[in-house]
Amino acid sequence: MTAYVSAFDFFSIGVGPSSSHTVGPMRAALDFARRLRATGTLTQVTRVTCTLYGSLGATGIGHGTPDAVVSGLRGLAPETCDPAEVRSAWTDFRAGETLLVDGAHAVSFEKNDIQFAPRTRLPGHPNAMAIVALGADGAAIAEETYYSVGGGFIRREGEDAKVSTGSLPFAYSDAASLLALCDEHGLSIADVARHNEMAMRSEEEVAAGLDAIWDAMAECVDAGLHANGVLPGILKVKRRAGAIRTQLESVEAEGGREIPGEWLGAFALAVNEENAAGGRVVTAPTNGAAGILPAVAMYWWRFLADSGLGSGNAVTPYGELVGSALLGFGGEPTSIADADDTALTEANRRRGIRRFLLTATALGSLFKANASISGAEGGCQAEVGSACAMAAGGLTAVMGGTNRQIENAAEIAMEHHLGLTCDPIGGLVQIPCIERNAIAASTAVTAARLALRGDGQHYVSLDAVVETMRQTGLDMSTKYKETSEGGLAVNVIEC
């Protein structure tokens, strides 16, 4: 069994504000609706109920979980739905209205058909939900229990989590075995990930898919930078990314100094404000931590890419300059002499982003397999900490770092998030979540810089930090695991 999880599972395009409380429950409800159709029992159903347990019950309303459940039952998928259709699917459900299950079969439904049981924690995972389809006589026709295990991944009771692995050429269980594979085969960490992806789809499909993920991330950054107003919910948090963008553009227009570090924070705020507003985001690896990796990648794209690909002597599968040709992952060699400078720069950046995402995927898989990426299971260290480590490793990779420097960067980033609690005020993914992403993006850049100044040798291994994060999560009180029962959530007045 390998730790590796496909980039196309890890970086799923969905909706805010939470991968575990919005995306996962929507996928679970959609799976339930499709099962009813597949078993031929859909037309017998007259009513559907759902109970949200543990963390889903505790902070579900603030995270939009009931809206996500109703949307999934209607047949909407987080990857393709209009986010506006999700935001009020349950909140504004009108009395007497019927629910079209799987978009076709009308059943009776009331808002209280979704029940909240925050004090009941099922053994499979803190994020649990049970869905029941009832017939005309009130008897259960079908019932399923689902666990939303973080990052939008779901697991149905009795099954493993739904991930795409296939038969992979480079299986590894921890960072040590990943580095050993790289040494044995003369590969970079991104190359290991690339070969694993190509066992499931063609090289062209991998390249196009990674480009689509980056495009969605970049669009989310741009949307957040150009939005203003107040975020939904009782806190009435004012969006700041748009105002910061205006300020920074004004400084640059007046010939002021370049301020990439401030842009880095703005990029992260932009994504997480979009997420809090229920917009289109990419889990990276979760929605609550979705701003870190795109912010660091955009920081590299905008400020470092022209110098960040090294001297041109790097391994060819990533599209670095080698000799007089641009050898590409996802493209034919192109003569530098014949290439348009603008196009060449864009092509290099695209290839760099693919390397960034593949490196981040290989590292993120270690956290998912050996600890957790779920705030309800491990606290915010599992979400923001793992995202920071993934971003630090990705940045180190595109800046020409060695495999051991990449591992070192990820270790530094995670080490300094150990013990981080998840205590959102009002159960909303806003305070401290939005600013926390900006701070973690800065930490990721610092970790990469420290690692690049070293030789890759360090005292604490990434595996040791991952295991420490797992143990810390087990020891952490449940009130600090996305329940809003401790920390800032109880010490700050909501309104």
Side-chain angles (χ1 to χ4, degrees):
M1 187 69 178
T2 181
Y4 189 79
V5 176
S6 172
F8 305 106
D9 288 319
F10 232 114
F11 300 116
S12 61
I13 300 172
V15 296
S18 173
S19 52
S20 60
H21 285 58
T22 312
V23 177
M26 190 189 305
R27 287 178 175 156
L30 175 61
D31 181 80
F32 185 80
R34 288 176 174 172
R35 287 179 183 277
L36 291 176
R37 180 181 290 276
T39 57
T41 56
L42 179 60
T43 57
Q44 303 171 33
V45 177
T46 61
R47 183 182 171 206
V48 178
T49 66
C50 177
T51 303
L52 302 174
Y53 296 101
S55 179
L56 292 185
T59 58
I61 291 181
H63 287 71
T65 307
D67 297 306
V69 171
V70 171
S71 299
L73 289 173
R74 284 174 169 165
L76 298 183
E79 299 85 352
T80 57
C81 70
D82 179 351
E85 292 187 60
V86 180
R87 292 171 194 152
S88 58
W90 175 84
T91 306
D92 294 341
F93 199 93
R94 296 188 300 272
E97 183 180 359
T98 58
L99 175 66
L100 284 178
V101 178
D102 203 27
H105 178 64
V107 302
S108 174
F109 183 81
E110 297 179 3
K111 289 179 68 174
N112 62 10
D113 283 333
I114 294 184
Q115 294 290 312
F116 303 86
R119 300 294 182 184
T120 303
R121 296 169 68 88
L122 301 191
H125 193 276
N127 290 331
M129 55 188 285
I131 311 178
V132 181
L134 304 170
D137 59 357
I141 293 174
E143 50 188 315
E144 298 286 356
T145 297
Y146 293 90
Y147 301 102
S148 181
V149 297
F153 294 94
I154 62 171
R155 177 169 60 83
R156 189 168 67 98
E157 186 74 72
E159 292 183 343
D160 294 328
K162 296 179 179 296
V163 295
S164 302
T165 55
S167 180
L168 303 182
F170 294 106
Y172 59 90
S173 59
D174 52 25
S177 58
L178 172 59
L179 291 174
L181 270 178
C182 293
D183 291 343
E184 179 183 355
H185 298 280
L187 301 172
S188 75
I189 290 174
D191 214 358
V192 167
R194 180 177 67 89
H195 284 296
N196 282 343
E197 294 295 343
M198 288 171 57
M200 295 178 272
R201 48 187 63 83
S202 71
E203 181 177 3
E204 292 74 22
E205 289 173 326
V206 174
L210 293 173
D211 287 350
I213 290 170
W214 170 243
D215 287 342
M217 288 180 172
E219 288 167 6
C220 185
V221 171
D222 187 66
L225 288 175
H226 289 84
N228 293 291
V230 176
L231 295 172
I234 61 173
L235 302 180
K236 305 300 180 184
V237 172
K238 184 179 180 180
R239 297 180 72 140
R240 289 179 288 171
I244 294 174
R245 172 192 60 81
T246 300
Q247 295 168 12
L248 295 180
E249 288 178 344
S250 177
V251 171
E252 292 177 345
E254 294 172 0
R257 60 185 174 86
E258 285 192 348
I259 36 182
E262 294 187 50
W263 275 110
L264 172 67
F267 297 152
L269 291 178
V271 172
N272 285 88
E273 287 174 356
E274 277 297 290
N275 178 63
R280 176 72 65 205
V281 294
V282 180
T283 59
T286 65
N287 282 27
I292 301 164
L293 194 142
V296 174
M298 184 63 76
Y299 169 81
W300 172 82
W301 178 282
R302 179 162 175 175
F303 299 106
L304 305 175
D306 291 342
S307 60
L309 289 175
S311 62
N313 295 318
V315 194
T316 58
Y318 306 99
E320 274 73 25
L321 299 176
V322 181
S324 62
L326 181 66
L327 300 180
F329 159 33
E332 294 298 321
T334 303
S335 169
I336 294 177
D338 297 335
D340 174 78
D341 286 344
T342 302
L344 185 58
T345 300
E346 173 75 12
N348 270 337
R349 289 179 177 177
R350 284 278 177 184
R351 291 176 174 90
I353 287 295
R354 293 171 198 161
R355 176 197 252 200
F356 190 111
L357 293 175
L358 288 171
T359 303
T361 299
L363 296 171
S365 296
L366 298 172
F367 291 99
K368 178 167 174 49
N370 299 320
S372 177
I373 59 170
S374 167
E377 191 171 35
C380 202
Q381 59 170 359
E383 295 198 29
V384 165
S386 59
C388 185
M390 293 164 66
L395 180 60
T396 304
V398 295
M399 292 302 292
T402 66
N403 290 328
R404 280 169 174 75
Q405 287 174 322
I406 292 168
E407 185 254 2
N408 187 196
E411 177 272 321
I412 293 170
M414 184 66 243
E415 182 178 350
H416 299 289
H417 281 91
L418 291 174
L420 189 63
T421 60
C422 183
D423 51 355
I425 298 175
L428 299 168
V429 193
Q430 297 178 14
I431 302 175
C433 319
I434 296 172
E435 286 182 352
R436 184 167 286 174
N437 275 250
I439 300 301
S442 179
T443 300
V445 173
T446 299
R449 286 173 173 164
L450 289 172
L452 286 166
R453 292 297 181 186
D455 61 3
Q457 301 300 312
H458 51 106
Y459 195 83
V460 179
S461 70
L462 177 58
D463 286 329
V465 172
V466 172
E467 172 59 16
T468 302
M469 189 260 274
R470 186 190 70 82
Q471 294 175 6
T472 303
L474 290 174
D475 293 339
M476 189 181 291
S477 169
T478 56
K479 69 181 181 180
Y480 296 121
K481 296 181 182 179
E482 212 167 2
T483 59
S484 291
E485 295 176 349
L488 285 176
V490 299
N491 287 311
V492 177
I493 298 174
E494 296 176 1
C495 58

